[in-house]
Amino acid sequence: MRLRAWWADAAGGLPATYWYLWTGLLINRVGGFAVLFLSLYLTAQRGASPAVAGLVVGAYGIGGVGGTLLGGVLTDRWGRRSTLLAAHFATAAFLVALAVSTDLRLVAGFGLLLGVAQTMSGPAFVAAIIDVVPAERRSRAFNLQFWAFNLGMAGASLLAGLLAEWSYLGLFLLDAASTVLTGVLIAWKVPETLSRRPAEVVPDRGRGMRTVLADRVFLVFVGLTLLQALLYAQTNTIVPLAMAQDGLGPSDYGLVTALGGTMIVVGQLFVPRLIDRHRKARVLAVALAVMALGFSTLATADRLGFYLAAAAVWTIGSMLAAPPNAEINSELAPVELRGRYQAVFFLTFPAASFLAPALGGVSLQTFGSAHWLIVAAVGVLGAGLHLAAGPARERRVSELRSVSAGGGGRRPSP
């Protein structure tokens, strides 16, 4: 009985459409192992040099940026369901094409297209959740989404190594099969969630993205999310370099990453109870301060135990930040532009994955262990800025709710 009551509290009475989307995400993430081994596949099976493999993986990343923006636009124009279906079935087709292609030029081209297709679904997925989940339950919905994503990634990481030893072709084909299965589930059970009122004016072609980029309150929030993403990106870019400098090997780094994933899978469902009664700006400020504390301890770390303790601290910070980040993003987006707002928000993560190693590598080489004090200072700065920006965000959310409750009216000023 206690377990059932705990799950009912964690799930929060979410609608059936949400659970179909959630299940699709979990299936897709568990089966999403091809990209994890893309560089190894290129060198081991297609005879690519490390430099060429890096270029192909880079093409995938460039495609991801374009796909995120395209997905945002299509989410608002086509609708959530249509964009999700197009993204999933196109992803499956490009995975198969990538697996059977032998010409490296074709492989690079399909890698670029795979990046486009695979990231198109992100804005549509989140916009659909916002559409169907009442505002008071979105914190739980996004918390469960974050949990499912990490659970699926953990499963994919475990399966990918075994499948790669068996067959790289099988790796790609099974990934494609799981993507098709998700697409079929969406086609079968997920209705179109974008509803347009008869009097609603759809933004003119090209004006929608300009509206997003003129929204100062939202862009400040995106900038603060980028600071947080820069912190967390240290974990898979600069942390392994620092561990290597301290004489620790890949298996030690594997333990550090496994600890973070395990903590999220085990503990994320308990986060709503901790944060629901508090203002989101304060939760995010605490989250970034906790992450800063974790990274600051690396300034004196030289053994595995120190790295594990630091990882436990920064993972707690990231767990606290995930639900309010997604919830604020959903609240700041006008209904007719939800897809575009999601797209701009999601761009912070590929930007961080580029900036973190580019800047962090130079910083680590120049400042040594003091690099982690700089990272901690960025976290503390972000915490303070969240507290400063919180009131403006709350006023904007209140304005948007008033407009929505009134059935239209003047858009809140940027």
Side-chain angles (χ1 to χ4, degrees):
M1 284 296 289
R2 288 183 179 179
L3 181 61
R4 184 179 300 176
W6 166 78
W7 175 254
D9 179 67
L14 296 165
T17 298
Y18 168 82
W19 286 112
Y20 292 124
L21 290 165
W22 184 91
T23 302
L25 172 68
L26 183 60
I27 293 170
N28 208 12
R29 285 301 90 203
V30 170
F33 26 63
V35 174
L36 296 175
F37 278 72
L38 181 56
S39 59
L40 289 177
Y41 160 75
L42 292 168
T43 54
Q45 297 291 307
R46 293 295 176 246
S49 66
V52 172
L55 289 173
V56 174
V57 175
Y60 171 85
I62 292 171
V65 173
T68 299
L69 293 173
L70 177 62
V73 173
L74 294 180
T75 294
D76 292 332
R77 290 184 181 170
W78 283 5
R80 292 42 161 148
R81 184 175 184 271
S82 298
T83 304
L84 285 169
L85 292 176
H88 282 85
F89 291 127
T91 295
F94 292 135
L95 281 167
V96 174
L98 193 62
V100 300
S101 298
T102 57
D103 188 304
L104 286 176
R105 290 169 297 183
L106 283 176
V107 170
F110 286 129
L112 176 70
L113 293 173
L114 176 64
V116 173
Q118 204 163 48
T119 55
M120 275 174 53
S121 63
F125 181 85
V126 178
I129 290 177
I130 299 170
D131 292 341
V132 302
V133 176
E136 66 274 11
R137 295 178 180 171
R138 285 178 190 155
S139 178
R140 282 175 165 78
F142 289 125
N143 191 64
L144 287 164
Q145 175 203 350
F146 184 65
W147 179 72
F149 183 88
N150 282 278
L151 180 63
M153 287 296 291
S157 299
L158 291 173
L159 291 173
L162 298 174
L163 291 170
E165 292 183 3
W166 165 60
S167 167
Y168 278 103
L169 177 63
L171 192 78
F172 280 86
L173 294 182
L174 286 174
D175 193 339
S178 72
T179 304
V180 169
L181 180 59
T182 302
V184 169
L185 176 64
I186 292 169
W188 180 32
K189 288 293 187 180
V190 177
E192 177 53 62
T193 63
L194 174 62
S195 58
R196 301 191 191 277
R197 295 184 294 271
E200 183 175 294
V201 178
V202 180
D204 292 338
R205 188 177 300 271
R207 290 182 57 193
M209 194 59 75
R210 288 201 295 272
T211 300
V212 180
L213 297 178
D215 188 336
R216 292 188 295 273
V217 172
F218 176 70
L219 292 181
V220 168
F221 172 65
V222 170
L224 293 177
T225 304
L226 177 60
L227 290 184
Q228 179 193 325
L230 284 171
L231 260 66
Y232 198 74
Q234 303 290 316
T235 63
N236 56 18
T237 57
I238 308 304
V239 168
L241 296 178
M243 292 182 70
Q245 289 181 352
D246 288 328
L248 299 170
S251 61
D252 296 314
Y253 174 64
L255 288 174
V256 170
T257 57
L259 174 64
T262 302
M263 286 181 63
I264 291 171
V265 170
V266 173
Q268 190 68 44
L269 294 179
F270 298 95
V271 168
R273 286 190 176 186
L274 297 175
I275 67 175
D276 276 354
R277 297 184 302 275
H278 303 283
R279 289 186 172 180
K280 299 178 187 69
R282 292 177 182 174
V283 173
L284 287 171
V286 170
L288 263 71
V290 171
M291 292 180 73
L293 175 63
F295 285 111
S296 70
T297 62
L298 296 184
T300 57
D302 58 358
R303 297 181 183 178
L304 177 60
F306 288 107
Y307 280 97
L308 289 171
V313 175
W314 75 55
T315 299
I316 290 172
S318 69
M319 290 166 63
L320 293 173
N325 254 336
E327 196 175 0
I328 291 171
N329 185 34
S330 72
E331 291 172 337
L332 291 175
V335 174
E336 70 275 12
L337 294 174
R338 277 177 179 164
R340 290 171 172 85
Y341 270 71
Q342 297 304 319
V344 173
F345 175 78
F346 273 101
L347 284 179
T348 60
F349 302 105
S353 67
F354 168 75
L355 291 172
L359 299 177
V362 174
S363 177
L364 185 66
Q365 181 176 329
T366 304
F367 301 108
S369 60
H371 163 76
W372 300 113
L373 299 179
I374 297 173
V375 172
V378 171
V380 172
L381 174 65
L385 291 174
H386 265 301
L387 291 176
R393 288 200 299 258
E394 291 172 1
R395 288 193 297 270
R396 170 61 60 80
V397 171
S398 178
E399 291 174 3
L400 285 169
R401 285 176 177 168
S402 298
V403 170
S404 178
R410 185 176 60 86
R411 181 189 302 279
S413 62

